[in-house]
């Protein structure tokens, strides 16, 4: 299920842009004792904002808990929720397209942002295209809000 | 967050197609319950009332990886028109006669025009399911 989430570095940049939509999971910069992954995902936890706090329900214990928002937890948006956020908040609409090469039939992915003339070409996987596209969206919004 | 999940009737059709990826939610008597880590095969004893609840992006990935069917949802926005539509790409096959395109990718077009991204996404998913259902018949 980890594939559903945007990478930690992009989640952090989205948080800095003010992303505060409900998420299924979060990244913890401090590893839990049972896992030595640098940034652990909690796929069994459902996170929601309530004012200034993050409420999370641990499905396994069914106990609601609260993290304060100034904790180090970084919400982990899904790809779908991240792109939706840019679409609805900043009117930045994107499209990722499957393509094949005329020369050798090689498969690749293009992406574009509506309203911008440039089409970004030749990513080997849709995931690479998504990362590049989301990075560009963040850069656009960051430059607008400077 | 509920909007991230596919509707229950499509989740049921996906289950019939063999979708068995871990999901963040489930449908219990057609009601969405968010939380947990569920697969359709977890519910063998209660298969009638439980269906795992995938997100849209999860299902689109599943079609891409399992059936080589990709899709794009595009916006037409000019002085005359504003609508979303979608195209499905069959990456297993090639089409060298599509004069509208500059590559050999086989496209499955749809005539629908949709007012929102979500409407186009939903119709695209229905079309994907129909394509695979017809292949499996």
């Amino acid at each position: 299920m980890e594939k559903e989430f945007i990478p930690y570095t992009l989640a952090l940049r989205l948080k800095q842009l003010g992303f505060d939509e409900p998420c299924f999971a979060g990244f913890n910069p401090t590893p839990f004792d049972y896992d030595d992954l640098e940034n652990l995902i909690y796929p069994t936890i459902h996170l929601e904002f309530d004012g200034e706090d993050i409420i999370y329900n641990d499905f396994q214990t069914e106990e609601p808990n609260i993290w304060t928002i100034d904790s180090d937890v970084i919400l982990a948006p899904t790809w779908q929720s991240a792109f939706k956020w840019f679409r609805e908040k900043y009117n930045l609409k994107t499209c990722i397209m499957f393509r094949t090469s005329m020369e050798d039939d090689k498969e690749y992915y293009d992406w574009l942002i509506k309203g911008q003339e440039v089409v970004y070409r030749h990513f080997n996987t849709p995931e690479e295209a998504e990362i590049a596209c989301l990075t560009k969206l963040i850069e656009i919004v960051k430059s607008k809000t400077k | 967050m509920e909007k991230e999940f596919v509707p229950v009737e499509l989740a049921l059709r996906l289950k019939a197609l063999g979708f068995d990826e871990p999901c963040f939610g489930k449908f219990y008597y057609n009601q969405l319950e968010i939380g947990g880590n569920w697969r359709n095969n977890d519910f063998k004893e209660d298969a009638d009332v439980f269906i795992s609840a995938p997100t849209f992006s999860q299902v689109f990935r599943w079609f891409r990886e399992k059936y080589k069917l990709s899709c794009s949802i595009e916006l037409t926005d000019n002085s005359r028109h504003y609508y979303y539509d979608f195209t499905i790409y069959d990456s297993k096959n090639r089409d060298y006669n599509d004069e509208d395109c500059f590559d050999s990718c086989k496209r499955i077009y749809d005539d629908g025009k949709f007012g929102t991204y979500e409407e186009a996404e939903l119709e695209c998913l229905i079309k994907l399911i129909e394509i695979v259902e017809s292949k499996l018949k």
Side-chain angles (χ1 to χ4, degrees):
Chain A
M1 292 210 286
E2 285 78 4
K3 283 183 181 174
E4 288 298 299
F5 300 103
I6 70 172
Y8 169 79
T9 48
L10 295 180
L12 181 60
R13 293 175 73 183
L14 278 184
K15 182 182 182 182
Q16 290 162 350
L17 288 182
F19 180 93
D20 64 352
E21 302 297 315
C23 290
F24 298 115
F27 293 105
N28 183 5
T30 312
F32 261 11
D33 54 3
Y34 60 81
D35 196 316
D36 60 0
L37 291 174
E38 187 181 356
N39 296 296
L40 186 68
I41 287 179
Y42 307 100
T44 59
I45 291 173
H46 170 208
L47 300 173
E48 278 198 69
F49 277 101
D50 177 22
E52 294 183 342
D53 296 327
I54 300 170
I55 298 176
Y56 67 99
N57 293 296
D58 187 332
F59 184 80
Q60 289 167 338
T61 62
E62 296 185 352
E63 289 179 8
N65 296 283
I66 291 179
W67 273 317
T68 56
I69 204 166
D70 58 0
S71 70
D72 289 335
V73 174
I74 294 158
L75 291 180
T78 59
W79 289 103
Q80 161 179 351
S81 64
F83 284 118
K84 183 181 165 78
W85 187 70
F86 281 103
R87 204 163 55 237
E88 295 185 348
K89 182 159 186 178
Y90 295 104
N91 200 29
L92 289 167
K93 301 176 174 83
T94 55
C95 182
I96 292 170
M97 300 157 289
F98 176 79
R99 293 285 183 261
T100 54
S101 163
M102 284 293 277
E103 292 85 29
D104 56 8
D105 263 1
K106 191 179 174 215
E107 299 175 358
Y108 61 94
Y109 290 83
D110 288 348
W111 59 269
L112 59 82
I113 298 173
K114 194 71 189 171
Q116 299 201 348
E117 291 177 4
V118 183
V119 177
Y120 298 86
R121 294 184 185 283
H122 297 257
F123 292 86
N124 290 325
T125 66
E127 288 79 16
E128 286 176 27
E130 281 179 331
I131 287 173
C133 184
L134 190 53
T135 303
K136 184 70 178 179
L137 287 170
I138 291 169
E139 285 170 6
I140 290 170
V141 171
K142 210 171 168 186
S143 69
K144 277 183 183 173
T145 53
K146 263 183 185 171
Chain B
M1 292 179 94
E2 287 77 6
K3 288 180 181 174
E4 292 214 33
F5 294 95
V6 307
V8 63
E9 59 272 20
L10 297 187
L12 185 60
R13 288 171 74 180
L14 288 164
K15 182 180 179 180
L17 290 180
F19 181 90
D20 190 34
E21 301 297 312
C23 296
F24 300 116
K26 64 180 184 297
F27 293 103
Y28 178 58
Y29 284 106
N30 295 341
Q31 293 298 310
L32 177 63
E33 295 179 358
I34 299 176
N37 183 342
W38 304 103
R39 307 176 79 121
N40 279 319
N41 277 343
D42 293 338
F43 309 123
K44 279 179 182 162
E45 291 179 6
D46 304 303
D48 294 345
V49 293
F50 281 107
I51 308 164
S52 66
T55 62
F56 276 92
S57 58
Q58 192 174 12
V59 174
F60 285 123
R61 179 179 299 107
W62 184 72
F63 277 107
R64 195 166 66 224
E65 293 178 354
K66 182 158 186 177
Y67 293 102
K68 306 295 178 197
L69 292 168
S70 302
C71 48
S72 65
I73 292 164
E74 299 183 45
L75 172 66
T76 296
D77 181 9
N78 56 42
S79 57
R80 289 187 171 190
H81 303 288
Y82 182 97
Y83 61 85
Y84 288 91
D85 59 11
F86 66 85
T87 308
I88 293 172
Y89 307 89
D90 178 355
S91 64
K92 265 190 193 167
N93 296 297
R94 294 288 182 266
D95 178 1
Y96 298 97
N97 300 311
D98 189 340
E99 293 175 356
D100 292 334
C101 299
F102 298 104
D103 65 12
S104 57
C105 176
K106 182 172 172 54
R107 291 164 170 80
I108 300 163
Y109 296 104
D110 184 85
D111 294 333
K113 295 177 180 178
F114 307 96
T116 66
Y117 183 94
E118 285 73 22
E119 287 171 22
E121 189 177 52
L122 180 64
E123 289 303 317
C124 184
L125 179 53
I126 291 169
K127 184 84 173 180
L128 282 168
I129 291 172
E130 286 172 355
I131 290 168
V132 174
E133 280 175 343
S134 69
K135 279 183 182 174
L136 296 180
K137 265 183 188 169

